[in-house]
Amino acid sequence: MESATDGYYVEKILAGKTAYFSALTDRYDKAIFSMIVKITGNREDAEELTQDVFMKVYRSLSSFRSDSSFSTWLYRIAYNTAISATRKQKTEWLSLDDIPPADTAEEDAENHLAGLESEEQLKRLQKALEQLPPDDRALILLYYPQEKTVDEISHIMHLSLPNVKTRLHRIRKKLLAMMTHEN
């Protein structure tokens, strides 16, 4: 099957050529799984939830409107599915208010998180991420490894642009504080 745009595949699927759906799943399954496993913290749950996401996408494809990109729509479904699953679990998460903010500028916090290189730093970041509530973890994961824009995150998480920017700012500073106070 030839490689084409998401819109091309959506049109073909909606026209009854359901075999084209595999092209979309092949294109996005690893990224969706990666995001879900990082939100849930459980590979087995993430595998099941990833399958659920693609089933939801397939069943809802006729409701997809081109006012956002297909990937944004897909990530919104994946995000909502993962967050719903984590809310069903009775886990206590570390509130951002429980940690004193790092005494650093926003730019320093962003640069520190974006430029992590050592294995030890990455382990400390992973440990800090696991302590965040799923919504906050998802926001950071969409922004950094998934490289979604603030606008895309706003659509995926149904938040205003200023809210996304504010939360990114607070979460970055808290992550940095968690990582530096771990010693």
Side-chain angles (χ1 to χ4, degrees), residues 25-122:
T25 58
D26 290 346
R27 183 173 284 178
Y28 291 105
D29 65 343
K30 287 179 180 60
I32 295 297
F33 172 78
S34 177
M35 182 185 78
I36 292 174
V37 78
K38 289 174 183 169
I39 292 172
T40 64
N42 183 306
R43 291 186 71 77
E44 292 79 22
D45 289 349
E47 287 172 2
E48 187 175 322
L49 291 171
T50 300
Q51 290 177 357
D52 290 350
V53 165
F54 284 105
M55 290 299 292
K56 289 176 185 178
V57 166
Y58 184 77
R59 286 193 302 263
S60 307
L61 200 55
S62 62
S63 68
F64 170 67
R65 296 181 320 269
S66 314
D67 57 344
S68 67
S69 71
F70 175 80
S71 68
T72 299
W73 183 72
L74 171 63
Y75 273 91
R76 181 181 307 147
I77 292 170
Y79 165 78
N80 288 337
T81 301
I83 293 299
S84 292
T86 59
R87 286 184 181 144
K88 291 177 185 174
Q89 299 169 347
K90 299 293 180 205
T91 306
E92 278 200 32
W93 303 104
L94 191 60
S95 168
L96 287 179
D97 298 327
D98 295 340
I99 303 163
D103 191 21
T104 57
E106 167 62 11
E107 187 176 309
D108 293 340
E110 182 174 3
N111 290 339
H112 183 79
L113 292 176
L116 292 175
E117 294 177 9
S118 80
E119 193 71 30
E120 180 184 334
Q121 288 174 315
L122 292 173

